[in-house]
Amino acid sequence: MRMREFQFDGLVGPTHHYAGLSPGNLASQAHAGEVSNPRAAALEGLAKMRRLYDLGVPQGVLPPQPRPSLSLLRRLGFHGRDPHVLSKALAEAPELLHAASSASSMWAANAATVVPSSDALDQRLHLLPANLVSLLHRSIEAESTERVLSRIFADTELFRVHPPLPACDALADEGAANHSRLVGERGVVHVFGWGRRAGSARPERFPARQTHAASAAVARSCALPESATLLWQQRAAGIDGGAFHTDVLAVGNRNLLLLHEHAFVEPEALLTELTQRLGSDFRAVLATDRELPLADAVAAYPFNSQLVTVPSGKMRILAPLEARENARALEFLERVRAEQPLVEAVEYLSVNGSMKNGGGPACLRLRVPLTDAESGRLGARVLFDDALEASLRGIVQRRYRDRLQLADIADPALVEEARVALDELTQALGLGSVYDFQR
Ligand code: SUG
């Protein structure tokens, strides 16, 4: 049966702002405190979805999550009515207010790990939400993610939505941002990049967000046979250079893998192993640090492109504009196109509002391979088309601000605006009342 890879993008939320919440994510640090434009960022995201849809790549939408999370602030001891909770948090612990208000669920590559039914031992599609325990603002995503995915993938005969792994440091999991599914003539390999494990080299400057134990548990839970699983360590130097997820330095699709030499330890051994398992049609393009210095790769995000198969069977690279503006990154992507006849074109699109927080095109989407039977059994109305685009655009235009400063986050009016927007968005997506404030 035909299986196609759907791109489920996280829609940027109305509280999108730059709070410098992610150590080791150089863009997040560099843009902390800048004024954001949630409306423009959400429209960039919708324009990206439109482009994929026009290319014939099936596209889905995941809603923003309710932010600010007043329930987080109350759990942290701020009591009273909403305005009081917000002003007290702003005065006493602004970092907690910003964590409670981050629109970080837009980076859907971190929402979950996905294993298609064709690869799972029980022949169901598995989705395992990431616990994201490394950072407070991201850890609060897991609960809503599980709820939203359970609505969309509600049919338990076909789909299995797991609970996130237990929320502890030893099982820190960042989802599909550290996972890549490759398919060759000989088989399928799921590559899980992990950053730390007792006894292994660790980054010195920045945190390794994914543990080996978490990757192994995700692969097991999602019923992946061992023969299709490959756990490989991220290179500490890459993490220390700002590659907090593997998708900052590598991207794969079917039988093609693009990677930087600092993405993984022993890249040559990895490629040999992949060739053995996938077969002789496996192709890789490796950028050495000489060709593309790590600092350029991290600043311009050429590997955080979407590498997608279009209906003709060829592939296309959808890269961030920043990668065209960086000469080394541009040359690398041009080399990929010139050397790989599989790749019909490279195109560049603007997701700058997200990039300034360290999220490129690939961060904004969760890949979900679905058979026609499975895509016909999705709950909700989350598949992108003209009508959905028009209603989402309308809500964003009407309800989102075009300017947010850090202090605006404590504005009680923003809480109300965000609720109205999310209420309308979740209705447009046919998700019903999915969040606590709607019940
Ligand atoms: O987790 N940025 C996100 C970016 C996630 C990118 N995702 C992938 N690589 N797949 C993060 O670091 C910054 C928020 C702030 O600073 O306001 C942030 O959370």
Side-chain angles (χ1 to χ4, degrees):
M1 188 186 295
R2 179 173 76 148
M3 191 173 82
R4 292 179 300 159
E5 185 185 271
F6 286 61
Q7 315 288 308
F8 276 83
D9 276 49
L11 184 64
V12 175
T15 59
H16 164 57
H17 70 296
Y18 304 114
L21 297 173
S22 295
N25 170 341
L26 304 185
S28 149
Q29 298 300 301
H31 298 285
E34 285 183 20
V35 175
S36 66
N37 183 339
R39 188 194 300 158
L43 293 175
E44 281 180 333
L46 283 166
K48 178 170 91 65
M49 297 182 220
R50 161 53 69 175
R51 180 63 194 142
L52 272 293
Y53 178 76
D54 284 344
L55 285 170
V57 178
Q59 178 71 52
V61 188
L62 298 172
Q65 297 192 358
R67 300 288 182 270
S69 168
L70 272 302
S71 62
L72 172 67
L73 294 173
R74 291 202 161 89
R75 267 173 77 188
L76 299 175
F78 298 104
H79 298 301
R81 297 165 62 94
D82 290 357
H84 183 71
V85 168
L86 295 165
S87 61
K88 208 157 156 45
L90 180 68
E92 286 179 18
E95 69 288 356
L96 298 180
L97 175 64
H98 293 302
S101 308
S102 175
S104 54
S105 70
M106 73 174 87
W107 299 299
N110 301 113
T113 303
V114 179
V115 170
S117 54
S118 56
D119 303 353
L121 289 165
D122 63 357
Q123 285 164 353
R124 283 193 292 174
L125 170 83
H126 290 253
L127 300 107
L128 197 152
N131 60 25
L132 296 170
V133 289
S134 296
L135 294 162
L136 173 63
H137 70 290
R138 304 228 55 186
S139 68
I140 58 176
E141 292 170 39
E143 191 187 332
S144 294
T145 299
E146 183 182 352
R147 233 190 255 177
V148 168
L149 293 179
S150 301
R151 287 276 165 96
I152 301 171
F153 301 94
D155 188 329
T156 50
E157 241 175 71
L158 298 178
F159 310 128
R160 173 87 205 274
V161 178
H162 296 260
L165 297 181
C168 70
D169 184 61
L171 291 170
D173 175 27
E174 297 276 319
N178 282 336
H179 167 247
S180 197
R181 174 179 185 262
L182 298 167
V183 189
E185 62 197 7
R186 214 183 280 160
V188 176
V189 177
H190 290 248
V191 183
F192 291 84
W194 55 272
R196 67 188 152 94
R197 172 194 207 173
S200 297
R202 277 194 184 215
E204 287 165 12
R205 292 175 69 197
F206 295 138
R209 295 198 203 173
Q210 180 86 27
T211 67
H212 179 276
S215 297
V218 170
R220 263 192 312 269
S221 301
C222 292
L224 260 187
E226 262 174 48
S227 58
T229 307
L230 182 61
L231 273 61
W232 208 273
Q233 189 178 0
Q234 291 168 270
R235 192 142 168 185
I239 297 175
D240 278 337
F244 50 97
H245 291 136
T246 44
D247 68 5
V248 174
L249 292 181
V251 60
N253 180 49
R254 294 193 180 211
N255 59 334
L256 178 61
L257 178 67
L258 315 181
L259 72 168
H260 189 274
E261 71 171 318
H262 289 325
F264 296 102
V265 300
E266 301 175 39
E268 294 301 340
L270 170 63
L271 298 181
T272 305
E273 174 83 22
L274 286 172
T275 307
Q276 262 164 24
R277 293 215 205 172
L278 293 164
S280 60
D281 64 337
F282 172 61
R283 299 279 175 275
V285 186
L286 181 110
T288 61
D289 201 58
R290 229 180 122 89
E291 175 185 7
L292 175 56
L294 180 59
D296 291 273
V298 168
Y301 267 36
F303 295 100
N304 204 261
S305 299
Q306 284 181 260
L307 179 61
V308 292
T309 302
V310 291
S312 67
K314 293 248 183 178
M315 296 189 200
R316 223 166 233 265
I317 297 176
L318 285 94
L321 265 186
E322 287 77 356
R324 191 171 69 189
E325 286 154 11
N326 177 301
R328 313 294 276 276
L330 175 67
E331 276 162 33
F332 171 70
L333 291 175
E334 287 305 318
R335 175 165 84 83
V336 173
R337 196 189 47 82
E339 285 177 8
Q340 298 297 326
L342 272 173
V343 176
E344 65 173 23
V346 184
E347 50 183 282
Y348 298 87
L349 29 88
S350 174
V351 287
N352 183 256
S354 165
M355 281 288 284
K356 282 157 86 178
N357 257 340
C363 300
L364 287 161
R365 61 89 177 96
L366 181 66
R367 308 163 92 166
V368 185
L370 293 170
T371 63
D372 290 346
E374 289 164 346
S375 62
R377 301 260 290 267
L378 297 180
R381 287 188 304 274
V382 289
L383 297 186
F384 192 92
D385 59 15
D386 295 342
L388 184 62
E389 180 190 27
S391 53
L392 298 179
R393 265 184 175 279
I395 297 165
V396 168
Q397 300 271 20
R398 266 197 319 279
R399 304 292 184 198
Y400 280 43
R401 296 191 187 185
D402 60 3
R403 199 186 146 77
L404 266 190
Q405 274 175 296
L406 287 190
D408 296 333
I409 295 297
D411 178 359
L414 181 66
V415 177
E416 198 41 43
E417 286 163 34
R419 284 186 183 150
V420 171
L422 258 65
D423 208 29
E424 292 181 4
L425 291 169
T426 49
Q427 299 310 319
L429 292 164
L431 286 162
S433 299
V434 69
Y435 297 133
D436 286 338
F437 78 89
Q438 297 173 309
R439 291 178 176 184

